[in-house]
Amino acid sequence: MTQLTNTSPASLFDMTGKVAIVTGASRGIGEAIARALAGAGAKVVVASRKIDGVTAVAASIGDAAHPVAAHTGKEADCKNVVDETVRRFGKVDVLVNNAATNPYFGPMLGIDEAAWDKTFEVNLKGYFWMIRSVANHLVSRGAPGSIVNVASVAGLEAAPLQGLYGATKAAVLSMTKTLAYELGPSKIRVNALCPGLIETKFASAIVQNEDLLRTVVSKTPLARHGQPSEIAGGALYLASDAASFLTGGSLVIDGGMTIC
Protein backbone atom coordinates (compact mmCIF):
# COMPACT_ATOMS: atom_id res chain seq x y z
CA MET A 1 0.00 0.00 0.00
CA THR A 2 1.28 3.45 -0.92
CA GLN A 3 1.57 5.72 2.10
CA LEU A 4 2.68 9.31 1.75
CA THR A 5 4.89 10.27 4.67
CA ASN A 6 5.39 13.88 3.57
CA THR A 7 2.23 15.63 2.45
CA SER A 8 3.52 19.17 2.05
CA PRO A 9 2.29 20.71 -1.22
CA ALA A 10 5.79 20.76 -2.68
CA SER A 11 6.52 17.13 -1.88
CA LEU A 12 3.21 15.88 -3.30
CA PHE A 13 4.13 17.25 -6.72
CA ASP A 14 7.86 16.52 -6.51
CA MET A 15 8.94 14.35 -9.45
CA THR A 16 12.61 14.06 -8.44
CA GLY A 17 13.89 10.59 -9.29
CA LYS A 18 11.07 9.92 -11.73
CA VAL A 19 11.46 9.35 -15.46
CA ALA A 20 8.66 10.31 -17.84
CA ILE A 21 7.90 9.89 -21.53
CA VAL A 22 5.77 12.54 -23.24
CA THR A 23 4.63 11.90 -26.82
CA GLY A 24 3.60 14.66 -29.17
CA ALA A 25 6.02 16.89 -27.28
CA SER A 26 7.40 19.11 -30.04
CA ARG A 27 4.93 21.91 -29.30
CA GLY A 28 1.61 22.81 -27.72
CA ILE A 29 0.19 20.75 -24.88
CA GLY A 30 2.88 18.06 -25.06
CA GLU A 31 5.70 20.56 -24.83
CA ALA A 32 4.02 22.33 -21.91
CA ILE A 33 3.58 19.04 -20.05
CA ALA A 34 7.20 18.04 -20.64
CA ARG A 35 8.37 21.38 -19.25
CA ALA A 36 6.13 21.03 -16.19
CA LEU A 37 7.40 17.53 -15.41
CA ALA A 38 11.03 18.57 -15.85
CA GLY A 39 10.39 21.65 -13.73
CA ALA A 40 9.11 19.39 -10.96
CA GLY A 41 12.33 17.37 -11.06
CA ALA A 42 11.63 14.54 -13.52
CA LYS A 43 13.85 13.31 -16.32
CA VAL A 44 11.80 13.54 -19.51
CA VAL A 45 12.00 11.86 -22.88
CA VAL A 46 10.23 14.07 -25.42
CA ALA A 47 8.98 12.14 -28.45
CA SER A 48 7.50 13.24 -31.74
CA ARG A 49 7.35 12.01 -35.30
CA LYS A 50 9.95 14.55 -36.44
CA ILE A 51 13.18 14.80 -34.48
CA ASP A 52 13.86 18.50 -35.14
CA GLY A 53 11.01 19.81 -32.98
CA VAL A 54 11.72 17.66 -29.94
CA THR A 55 15.45 18.25 -30.25
CA ALA A 56 14.79 21.96 -29.84
CA VAL A 57 12.47 21.36 -26.89
CA ALA A 58 14.96 19.05 -25.18
CA ALA A 59 17.79 21.52 -25.70
CA SER A 60 15.76 24.30 -24.13
CA ILE A 61 14.93 22.15 -21.10
CA GLY A 62 18.51 20.99 -20.60
CA ASP A 63 20.12 17.78 -19.37
CA ALA A 64 16.86 16.56 -17.85
CA ALA A 65 15.38 16.00 -21.32
CA HIS A 66 16.19 13.69 -24.22
CA PRO A 67 14.58 13.73 -27.70
CA VAL A 68 13.41 10.64 -29.58
CA ALA A 69 11.75 10.43 -33.01
CA ALA A 70 8.76 8.08 -33.11
CA HIS A 71 5.65 7.48 -35.18
CA THR A 72 3.43 6.23 -32.37
CA GLY A 73 1.08 4.58 -34.83
CA LYS A 74 3.82 1.98 -35.32
CA GLU A 75 4.33 -0.51 -32.50
CA ALA A 76 8.05 -0.91 -33.19
CA ASP A 77 8.55 2.85 -32.77
CA CYS A 78 6.70 2.76 -29.45
CA LYS A 79 8.88 -0.05 -28.16
CA ASN A 80 11.95 1.88 -29.27
CA VAL A 81 10.88 4.96 -27.29
CA VAL A 82 10.72 2.86 -24.13
CA ASP A 83 14.02 1.12 -24.89
CA GLU A 84 15.73 4.45 -25.58
CA THR A 85 14.33 5.92 -22.36
CA VAL A 86 15.69 3.00 -20.34
CA ARG A 87 19.03 3.27 -22.11
CA ARG A 88 19.26 6.99 -21.38
CA PHE A 89 17.72 7.26 -17.90
CA GLY A 90 17.55 3.67 -16.60
CA LYS A 91 13.79 3.25 -16.29
CA VAL A 92 10.32 4.63 -17.02
CA ASP A 93 7.88 5.71 -14.30
CA VAL A 94 5.40 7.93 -16.14
CA LEU A 95 3.87 7.95 -19.61
CA VAL A 96 1.95 10.89 -21.02
CA ASN A 97 0.19 9.90 -24.24
CA ASN A 98 -0.35 13.12 -26.15
CA ALA A 99 0.50 12.46 -29.81
CA ALA A 100 -2.62 12.91 -31.93
CA THR A 101 -3.84 13.76 -35.39
CA ASN A 102 -7.01 15.21 -36.87
CA PRO A 103 -6.67 15.20 -40.68
CA TYR A 104 -10.36 15.75 -41.36
CA PHE A 105 -12.49 18.71 -40.28
CA GLY A 106 -16.09 18.58 -41.49
CA PRO A 107 -19.32 16.51 -41.39
CA MET A 108 -18.71 12.86 -40.51
CA LEU A 109 -20.34 11.50 -43.65
CA GLY A 110 -17.61 13.11 -45.73
CA ILE A 111 -14.73 11.21 -44.10
CA ASP A 112 -12.68 9.01 -46.42
CA GLU A 113 -11.09 5.73 -45.43
CA ALA A 114 -7.54 7.09 -45.38
CA ALA A 115 -8.44 9.83 -42.88
CA TRP A 116 -10.39 7.30 -40.78
CA ASP A 117 -7.48 4.85 -40.63
CA LYS A 118 -4.85 7.50 -39.91
CA THR A 119 -6.88 9.03 -37.07
CA PHE A 120 -7.49 5.70 -35.34
CA GLU A 121 -3.90 4.58 -35.95
CA VAL A 122 -2.36 7.52 -34.12
CA ASN A 123 -5.06 8.56 -31.63
CA LEU A 124 -6.04 5.13 -30.35
CA LYS A 125 -3.71 2.40 -31.56
CA GLY A 126 -0.67 4.57 -30.82
CA TYR A 127 -1.84 5.20 -27.26
CA PHE A 128 -2.31 1.48 -26.73
CA TRP A 129 1.11 0.56 -28.14
CA MET A 130 2.78 3.07 -25.82
CA ILE A 131 0.79 1.91 -22.80
CA ARG A 132 1.57 -1.74 -23.41
CA SER A 133 5.29 -1.11 -23.80
CA VAL A 134 5.48 1.02 -20.65
CA ALA A 135 3.21 -1.27 -18.62
CA ASN A 136 5.27 -4.34 -19.54
CA HIS A 137 8.40 -2.48 -18.43
CA LEU A 138 6.82 -1.46 -15.12
CA VAL A 139 5.52 -4.95 -14.41
CA SER A 140 8.92 -6.47 -15.18
CA ARG A 141 10.45 -4.10 -12.59
CA GLY A 142 7.69 -4.69 -10.07
CA ALA A 143 7.38 -0.90 -9.98
CA PRO A 144 4.36 1.40 -9.65
CA GLY A 145 3.69 3.92 -12.38
CA SER A 146 1.35 6.51 -13.79
CA ILE A 147 -0.11 6.71 -17.29
CA VAL A 148 -1.83 9.88 -18.43
CA ASN A 149 -3.87 9.79 -21.63
CA VAL A 150 -4.61 13.18 -23.14
CA ALA A 151 -8.15 12.82 -24.46
CA SER A 152 -10.54 15.71 -25.16
CA VAL A 153 -13.93 17.12 -24.32
CA ALA A 154 -14.73 16.02 -27.88
CA GLY A 155 -14.83 12.50 -26.47
CA LEU A 156 -17.42 13.43 -23.84
CA GLU A 157 -20.17 14.88 -26.01
CA ALA A 158 -21.18 15.49 -29.61
CA ALA A 159 -18.28 16.89 -31.64
CA PRO A 160 -19.68 18.64 -34.73
CA LEU A 161 -17.12 18.87 -37.55
CA GLN A 162 -14.75 16.77 -35.42
CA GLY A 163 -16.78 13.59 -35.22
CA LEU A 164 -13.99 11.18 -36.12
CA TYR A 165 -11.53 12.85 -33.74
CA GLY A 166 -14.19 12.77 -31.02
CA ALA A 167 -14.82 9.07 -31.61
CA THR A 168 -11.15 8.26 -31.06
CA LYS A 169 -11.08 10.32 -27.88
CA ALA A 170 -14.20 8.59 -26.56
CA ALA A 171 -12.42 5.31 -27.21
CA VAL A 172 -9.38 6.60 -25.30
CA LEU A 173 -11.60 7.32 -22.31
CA SER A 174 -13.06 3.82 -22.44
CA MET A 175 -9.60 2.27 -22.78
CA THR A 176 -8.38 4.37 -19.85
CA LYS A 177 -11.03 2.89 -17.55
CA THR A 178 -10.45 -0.69 -18.64
CA LEU A 179 -6.68 -0.48 -18.30
CA ALA A 180 -7.00 1.26 -14.93
CA TYR A 181 -8.99 -1.76 -13.76
CA GLU A 182 -6.61 -4.30 -15.25
CA LEU A 183 -3.37 -2.60 -14.21
CA GLY A 184 -4.49 -1.51 -10.74
CA PRO A 185 -3.24 -4.68 -9.03
CA SER A 186 0.21 -3.89 -10.45
CA LYS A 187 0.04 -0.41 -8.87
CA ILE A 188 -0.06 1.26 -12.27
CA ARG A 189 -2.51 4.15 -12.36
CA VAL A 190 -4.20 5.11 -15.64
CA ASN A 191 -6.05 8.41 -15.96
CA ALA A 192 -7.17 10.78 -18.69
CA LEU A 193 -7.04 14.51 -19.28
CA CYS A 194 -9.86 16.16 -21.22
CA PRO A 195 -8.82 19.61 -22.44
CA GLY A 196 -11.30 22.03 -23.91
CA LEU A 197 -10.34 24.44 -26.66
CA ILE A 198 -6.64 25.20 -26.24
CA GLU A 199 -4.63 27.58 -28.42
CA THR A 200 -2.35 25.27 -30.34
CA LYS A 201 -1.49 24.65 -33.97
CA PHE A 202 -3.59 21.51 -33.68
CA ALA A 203 -6.70 23.59 -32.85
CA SER A 204 -5.98 26.34 -35.37
CA ALA A 205 -9.01 25.45 -37.50
CA ILE A 206 -11.17 26.73 -34.65
CA VAL A 207 -8.95 29.28 -32.92
CA GLN A 208 -8.18 31.12 -36.17
CA ASN A 209 -11.78 31.10 -37.37
CA GLU A 210 -13.52 34.07 -35.73
CA ASP A 211 -17.03 32.65 -36.10
CA LEU A 212 -16.14 29.21 -34.75
CA LEU A 213 -14.09 30.69 -31.92
CA ARG A 214 -16.92 33.02 -30.96
CA THR A 215 -19.33 30.08 -30.87
CA VAL A 216 -17.10 28.02 -28.59
CA VAL A 217 -16.26 30.91 -26.27
CA SER A 218 -19.95 31.83 -25.97
CA LYS A 219 -20.57 28.37 -24.50
CA THR A 220 -17.64 28.58 -22.07
CA PRO A 221 -18.35 30.12 -18.63
CA LEU A 222 -14.81 31.55 -18.40
CA ALA A 223 -15.50 33.24 -21.76
CA ARG A 224 -12.16 32.39 -23.40
CA HIS A 225 -10.09 29.55 -24.76
CA GLY A 226 -7.17 28.08 -22.85
CA GLN A 227 -3.40 27.92 -23.16
CA PRO A 228 -1.18 24.79 -23.13
CA SER A 229 0.32 25.77 -19.77
CA GLU A 230 -3.15 25.53 -18.25
CA ILE A 231 -3.28 21.83 -19.13
CA ALA A 232 0.22 21.04 -17.91
CA GLY A 233 -0.69 21.39 -14.24
CA GLY A 234 -3.38 18.74 -14.60
CA ALA A 235 -0.91 16.33 -16.17
CA LEU A 236 1.60 16.97 -13.40
CA TYR A 237 -1.08 16.25 -10.81
CA LEU A 238 -2.08 12.95 -12.41
CA ALA A 239 1.56 11.89 -12.82
CA SER A 240 2.56 12.76 -9.27
CA ASP A 241 2.00 11.27 -5.83
CA ALA A 242 -0.64 13.94 -5.29
CA ALA A 243 -2.94 11.65 -7.30
CA SER A 244 -1.76 8.40 -5.68
CA PHE A 245 -5.33 7.17 -5.01
CA LEU A 246 -6.76 8.21 -8.37
CA THR A 247 -7.10 5.81 -11.27
CA GLY A 248 -9.61 5.44 -14.07
CA GLY A 249 -10.51 9.12 -13.77
CA SER A 250 -10.96 11.84 -16.36
CA LEU A 251 -9.84 15.35 -15.42
CA VAL A 252 -11.72 17.91 -17.48
CA ILE A 253 -9.97 21.26 -18.00
CA ASP A 254 -12.21 23.23 -20.32
CA GLY A 255 -13.15 26.57 -18.76
CA GLY A 256 -16.52 25.07 -17.88
CA MET A 257 -17.55 24.28 -21.46
CA THR A 258 -19.01 20.85 -20.70
CA ILE A 259 -21.20 22.02 -17.80
CA CYS A 260 -23.37 24.13 -20.09
Side-chain angles (χ1 to χ4, degrees), residues 163-213:
L164 176 59
Y165 175 76
T168 63
K169 292 305 185 179
V172 166
L173 294 173
S174 176
M175 182 171 67
T176 295
K177 293 178 181 180
T178 299
L179 288 170
Y181 184 89
E182 293 181 353
L183 295 175
S186 298
K187 298 181 175 59
I188 301 170
R189 298 183 295 108
V190 188
N191 292 289
L193 268 177
C194 294
L197 180 59
I198 306 300
E199 187 170 348
T200 63
K201 183 178 180 180
F202 192 86
S204 60
I206 297 175
V207 174
Q208 295 179 9
N209 183 307
E210 291 185 7
D211 292 335
L212 289 176
L213 180 59

Side-chain angles (χ1 to χ4, degrees), residues 148-174:
V148 180
N149 293 322
V150 179
S152 170
V153 294
L156 296 172
E157 54 188 16
L161 305 180
Q162 299 186 86
L164 176 59
Y165 175 76
T168 63
K169 292 305 185 179
V172 166
L173 294 173
S174 176

Side-chain angles (χ1 to χ4, degrees), residues 15 20-23 29 33 37 93-99 127 130-131 134 145-151 169 172 175-176 188-195 231-240 243 246-247 249-251 253:
M15 298 293 290
I21 295 171
V22 182
T23 68
I29 291 172
I33 290 172
L37 292 171
D93 301 296
V94 173
L95 166 65
V96 179
N97 266 324
N98 176 67
Y127 275 33
M130 286 300 309
I131 291 169
V134 170
S146 175
I147 294 167
V148 180
N149 293 322
V150 179
K169 292 305 185 179
V172 166
M175 182 171 67
T176 295
I188 301 170
R189 298 183 295 108
V190 188
N191 292 289
L193 268 177
C194 294
I231 304 302
L236 175 58
Y237 166 64
L238 293 176
S240 73
L246 176 58
T247 196
S250 299
L251 178 58
I253 306 177

